[in-house]
Amino acid sequence: MTRRLAELGADGLRSALAGPGLRLRTGPFVYCLRSRLEGVAEGLAAMYADFPLSDSPLADFHLTVDRMPGLRGHWRPQVNAWLDGFAPFVPLPLEHGYALLEWAMNFCVAGCAHHYLMLHAACLERDGRALILPGAPGSGKSTLTAALMLAGWRLLSDEITLIDRDSGALLGLGRPVSLKNASLDVIRARAPAGRMGRVAHDTHKGSVGHLRPSADSVAWVDRPARAAQIVFPRWCAGAATEWREHDRAEAFEILARNGFNYSLLGRLGFELVEGLIETCGAWHLRYSEFDEALPALERLLQEGRP
């Protein structure tokens, strides 16, 4: 029977992280995670309690987040992340250790998982039909993603939409939603107690925290979904909710530009994005109020129009 991270307990989790590594499965990937940082152990316990562990000695990614060696690890302590011994990030303050872990986990997938088409977009599912939310930084994509998940949508991913190269199906990761700055207070007001993790302040992205994925998002992470709608959201303070159909050629160009490996896949990347544009509606959403945007997104997914 598959064990869950929560079954390890606090001591077992720390022991695995400090020793052979914690083999954590998120969707199709297994991470072997190592760390002696208390903040990393606390963050994993809070955000990944429901996630399954792998009994296999094999892992897709071997990732270590720990103190820098030498003076950097003790005087004004700094941390870094190592992927198979390679450090792709610059050292960060000790208190940013868990945020760095989440960024490094994204880096592993975006840089290596080329057996999928990967789009820089959030993805959620309702009744087998999936909504893709591409969005530039500051567009409110993650805030909207968190609000939809809290309203009962199944989260596939906040950051990387995975598209199976053979079937075109969307696959889930189910990992925590990353929130920044003002979004933290907005979602904290809607989230049940205990679902928000500790906030890392003064990162290169400002204040960063995470929202624990819903139980259904984790339990059904292996259930594929079919893309139904693509929505390009833009949060604007005080704006009335406004919808307009997106030009399909422009939507194609934005999706391709937001593909982590679109160019690398060549013709196959073109065909997969073309398939999305042909089968999905494409919309631009400008909003400020969740109570208006969320019901409209429900109608869009069920009826084809907001």
Side-chain angles (χ1 to χ4, degrees):
M1 187 172 180
T2 302
R3 290 191 305 161
R4 306 287 163 175
L5 186 146
E7 295 175 39
L8 291 177
D11 291 341
L13 173 58
R14 292 183 181 89
S15 177
L17 287 169
L22 178 76
R23 282 172 166 75
L24 180 72
R25 188 165 72 84
T26 69
F29 306 115
V30 174
Y31 290 87
C32 179
L33 303 176
R34 293 184 175 90
S35 181
R36 292 168 295 177
L37 301 178
E38 184 62 25
V40 168
E42 288 180 358
L44 286 167
M47 294 291 110
Y48 289 89
D50 298 330
F51 279 69
L53 303 177
S54 173
D55 294 325
S56 171
L58 303 177
D60 297 287
F61 311 112
H62 291 78
L63 178 61
T64 299
V65 176
D66 224 328
R67 287 176 182 255
M68 289 290 293
L71 288 176
R72 279 188 169 184
H74 300 280
W75 183 70
R76 293 184 179 177
Q78 292 183 309
V79 298
N80 210 340
W82 290 266
L83 171 60
D84 291 327
F86 168 67
F89 297 93
V90 299
L92 297 176
L94 178 64
E95 57 270 22
H96 297 174
Y98 181 73
L100 177 58
L101 173 72
E102 290 286 349
W103 293 328
M105 291 174 75
N106 286 338
F107 179 89
C108 289
V109 176
C112 302
H114 301 304
H115 42 296
Y116 303 98
L117 173 64
M118 296 177 286
L119 301 179
H120 185 198
C123 188
L124 302 105
E125 175 263 345
R126 193 80 147 173
D127 299 325
R129 297 165 62 80
L131 172 69
I132 297 175
L133 296 172
S139 65
K141 166 184 67 70
S142 294
T143 317
L144 182 59
T145 299
L148 286 166
M149 185 187 74
L150 292 170
W153 293 56
R154 177 170 71 99
L155 172 72
L156 277 74
S157 179
D158 164 48
E159 190 72 17
I160 302 173
T161 293
L162 293 176
I163 302 174
D164 186 89
R165 291 169 41 152
D166 298 322
S167 66
L170 307 184
L171 303 180
L173 295 171
R175 288 179 41 219
V177 180
S178 176
L179 298 166
K180 298 179 287 295
N181 303 316
S183 297
L184 292 164
D185 290 334
V186 171
I187 296 303
R188 189 178 286 112
R190 303 177 73 93
R195 292 283 295 277
M196 296 289 294
R198 185 173 297 182
V199 176
H201 298 285
D202 299 320
T203 77
H204 66 288
K205 297 185 177 183
S207 296
V208 175
H210 294 84
L211 174 68
R212 180 174 173 169
S214 65
D216 286 348
S217 298
V218 179
W220 299 341
V221 70
D222 293 328
R223 182 181 297 180
R226 286 287 170 185
Q229 299 288 343
I230 303 165
V231 174
F232 300 86
R234 170 66 65 178
W235 182 88
C236 297
T241 302
E242 177 184 299
W243 291 86
R244 62 174 173 83
E245 290 196 67
H246 214 298
D247 177 81
R248 289 182 175 270
E250 183 183 356
F252 181 103
E253 190 273 332
I254 295 173
L255 287 182
R257 189 171 69 240
N258 282 273
F260 288 104
N261 59 345
Y262 172 82
S263 298
L264 184 65
L265 295 182
R267 178 176 177 177
L268 179 58
F270 177 92
E271 291 173 348
L272 288 168
V273 174
E274 181 184 41
L276 287 176
I277 297 299
E278 288 181 348
T279 58
C280 296
W283 302 83
H284 173 81
L285 166 62
R286 182 172 176 262
Y287 77 103
S288 63
E289 297 293 335
F290 288 128
D291 291 341
E292 295 180 3
L294 268 58
L297 285 163
E298 293 270 7
R299 291 193 299 271
L300 176 66
L301 209 61
Q302 298 302 322
E303 303 172 14
R305 298 194 68 84

